[in-house]
Amino acid sequence: MRSGWPSSSVLLAEVIIRSTGEHHLVLLVREGRAVLVLDDLSPVVTPLVDALDRYVIVRADSGTDPQRWTRDVTAF
């Protein structure tokens, strides 16, 4: 949010790292029509379409209800 993204454009997502099988949390950021992945294990901000080579998306914060998570990241 210090980078200027509004909180409404930032969601948590649970992923599985393909190379290790570990579950991990990343941030998804909607910027225009693109969804970006911010991961504290990487210094690079990556478009979601490119990050899917490294991660399996398990679920993501729904963005509308803090107690509801969804598997449909495309609706974000």
Side-chain angles (χ1 to χ4, degrees):
M1 293 191 245
R2 285 183 236 177
S3 297
W5 287 310
S7 61
S8 61
S9 70
V10 178
L11 299 178
L12 280 174
E14 178 186 358
V15 299
I16 297 173
I17 301 170
R18 289 183 189 273
S19 63
T20 64
E22 295 177 75
H23 285 249
H24 180 59
L25 287 177
V26 298
L27 290 176
L28 300 180
V29 178
R30 162 97 39 215
E31 183 156 287
R33 299 182 76 192
V35 176
L36 305 174
V37 177
L38 285 73
D39 183 349
D40 66 341
L41 299 177
S42 173
V44 179
V45 176
T46 308
L48 179 60
V49 295
D50 296 337
L52 292 176
D53 290 341
R54 288 182 300 191
Y55 308 119
V56 174
I57 305 274
V58 175
R59 60 189 176 154
D61 179 11
S62 71
T64 57
D65 180 351
Q67 295 185 359
R68 192 175 136 251
W69 287 62
T70 181
R71 293 179 191 264
D72 184 12
V73 179
T74 60
F76 167 61

